[in-house]
Amino acid sequence: MVLQTATGITGLDNILGGGLPKGSAVIVEGAPGTGKTTLGMQFLYNGITEQNEAGIFITFEEFPDQIYHDMKSFGWDLRALERKNQLRVIGISPKILLEEMQKSNGLFEQMVNEINCERLVIDSISLLRTGDSEKTIREVLYTLRNILRKFKLTSLLIQERSDLDGNSVPFEHYIFDGLIRLSLKEHLELFRQRTLEVLKMRGTCIMEGEHIYRITENGIYVLLASKTAADIQESTSDFQLKTGIPSLDAILGGGLDKGTIYMLDTNSKANYRHIVASILAQRINSGDRILSLLSSIQSIEELASLLEKHKADVGKGIEENRMYFIEHYKRSIPEKWQDAVYHVHTLDNKSYNLFLKNEIYPKMNSDLNKHKNWFIYYDLNAIINERGTEYVLRHFATETAAARSLGMSVLVLCNFKEVGIQVASFLERSCNGVLKTWVDGSYQYLQITKASNGEISKPYLVENINDCPYIRLL
Ligand SMILES: Nc1ncnc2c1ncn2[C@@H]1O[C@H](COP(=O)(O)OP(=O)(O)OP(=O)(O)O)[C@@H](O)[C@H]1O
Ligand SMILES: [Mg+2]
């Protein structure tokens, strides 16, 4: 197992699964003012105060007064640590530093031994670059890396970087053990957001993604991005409905919340059918009562054959009198399934609503009184096409509120783009959770954009796999 050196920086150690690999040399890169110096010094300060590990901070500024002053604003008294021989802040030229580092028993080695140094920060290695040819710079960086390995120092090497640097990967990204990037980005066109991302860390399983950080009066504080699937423990709560897609359950914190309304916002390009089928199959196999509105693009037989792939038997559900369908279209229904299907294509909106009130709701109510669970699935765009937007706006909120109060779980398929932004935002407000899936280029993504606990997820990649449930999120 790799030994780790905790940075003591909240969030960063979680991202690193404990800390930096002991003895590794890691680049911290970022644009001016992103907090590189702060992060470096915080790593040394925490090492001294929390782990009793001495540190050296090397700056190429001749007089490092500014650093003492700046760090004081975080409450870090560097001079006091220097007096106790736990810290050295050294202002030196790059040329002399390299000379001294390479000499046997040179100033650098003496200093490391004097304070029994374990952590090092160089602020910044960008200054090693000035003027020299690319070949010499590579040699210098190699030399530096080898020296750090020899001394077994866990090191942070600060590097200035602006987002204008282009796409070529700098040489130092290859030769050092890790790369932490601090960025300042436009966010929602309203404000700039600081993010920290670990792009590389040899021998360590890292939490991927851009994590937001703040510079507070105590230094850098990293807020973890929503946890990745593998990080979340499987929940066995009775209050959650498994989707049948383990990676989706994980990001939902166990599954869909029971007794709530979820929307799946999708378009026809995205592979949503397996998501829906997997969720429905779980409900069928768990013994729930199910009501589904058949859409124009999927007949009852097509739905049944899709569900069969997900190991659910529609015929059996119908035989056991626990699956019902509402059919808006004039399609033939297999004889043996006739009793499970309500034909409503002849009903105008008013009669349709009365039919729901007089036939469907009482049926559900009597089952609910017997503690049977109901799961409802329908395609809202089909209702909009058949009944009009007005109908949906008039009834959706009351129907979902009623369903919720009765403890029914509902999954509604909808193409938010197609219904328009105003209707979509009304729908979104009326439900408890929204899963959004879309195609961008050759990839499909899925993101939880609304959740009952208020947490939205990062966008996950949707991978199509060959076996049930045919979908995996990455
Ligand atoms: N006490 C504090 N509380 C909150 N923010 C602070 C505090 N002190 C400094 N900052 C912020 O920290 C940032 C500077 O941090 P730091 O000097 O570590 O950045 P840097 O990346 O090293 O910058 P440079 O590239 O100029 O060396 C500034 O943007 C400043 O606004
Ligand atoms: Mg700095």
Side-chain angles (χ1 to χ4, degrees), residues 4 7 32 63 95 161 178 191 259 337 368 439:
Q4 283 173 316
T7 65
F63 303 104
K95 188 164 165 285
R161 179 185 194 271
F191 57 93
W337 294 350
L368 289 162
V439 173

Side-chain angles (χ1 to χ4, degrees), residues 146-289:
N146 293 338
I147 294 166
L148 297 176
R149 286 205 177 150
K150 180 180 133 200
F151 285 102
K152 297 193 174 66
L153 298 169
T154 310
S155 319
L156 291 181
L157 310 173
I158 291 171
Q159 169 140 320
E160 267 116 50
R161 179 185 194 271
S162 83
D163 291 334
L164 305 170
D165 281 355
N167 295 326
S168 69
V169 180
F171 176 67
E172 41 278 43
H173 290 187
Y174 296 111
I175 67 162
F176 291 105
D177 303 304
L179 173 61
I180 298 174
R181 179 176 292 166
L182 303 178
S183 317
L184 202 53
K185 288 188 179 155
E186 296 279 344
H187 183 64
L188 302 173
E189 295 168 23
L190 293 174
F191 57 93
R192 288 171 77 79
Q193 182 165 279
R194 294 177 191 274
T195 60
L196 180 151
E197 186 171 17
V198 178
L199 290 146
K200 160 177 172 180
M201 199 60 64
R202 270 185 201 139
T204 310
C205 180
I206 49 177
M207 269 174 75
E208 282 190 50
E210 290 185 70
H211 306 270
I212 294 176
Y213 69 93
R214 296 268 187 268
I215 303 180
T216 71
E217 71 266 21
N218 302 314
I220 289 190
Y221 182 95
V222 186
L223 292 92
L224 299 184
S226 40
K227 294 186 174 170
T228 54
D231 296 323
I232 298 172
Q233 305 237 322
E234 183 131 321
S235 150
T236 49
S237 162
D238 284 346
F239 301 104
Q240 272 155 341
L241 307 177
K242 292 248 176 283
T243 64
I245 302 166
S247 47
L248 180 57
D249 286 336
I251 65 170
L252 286 163
L256 303 170
D257 293 329
K258 197 170 169 178
T260 62
I261 321 295
Y262 278 87
M263 290 221 135
L264 178 61
D265 171 21
T266 181
N267 58 32
S268 53
K269 268 202 256 167
N271 175 1
Y272 62 87
R273 285 183 186 80
H274 280 306
I275 301 175
V276 170
S278 180
I279 294 170
L280 268 179
Q282 304 310 304
R283 298 331 317 141
I284 296 170
N285 291 339
S286 71
D288 278 7
R289 286 0 189 193

Side-chain angles (χ1 to χ4, degrees), residues 32-48:
T34 45
K36 304 178 296 294
T37 301
T38 308
L39 189 142
M41 197 57 95
Q42 198 169 349
F43 164 68
L44 296 184
Y45 185 88
N46 291 342
I48 295 164

Side-chain angles (χ1 to χ4, degrees), residues 25 36 58-59 70 82 97 120 124 134 145 152 231 233 273 282 307 312 353 385 398 436 443 459 462 464:
K36 304 178 296 294
I58 290 169
T59 164
D70 288 352
E82 286 192 296
L97 173 73
L120 174 76
S124 68
E134 189 59 26
R145 187 195 70 175
K152 297 193 174 66
D231 296 323
Q233 305 237 322
R273 285 183 186 80
Q282 304 310 304
L307 285 166
N353 203 245
N385 291 339
T398 37
K436 179 183 165 74
Y443 290 94
V462 179
N464 294 316

Side-chain angles (χ1 to χ4, degrees), residues 339-358:
D339 288 349
V341 180
Y342 297 94
H343 295 271
V344 296
H345 62 273
T346 56
L347 303 181
D348 62 15
N349 285 355
K350 203 170 161 215
S351 322
Y352 175 67
N353 203 245
L354 281 173
F355 150 77
L356 292 179
K357 279 193 180 126
N358 299 334

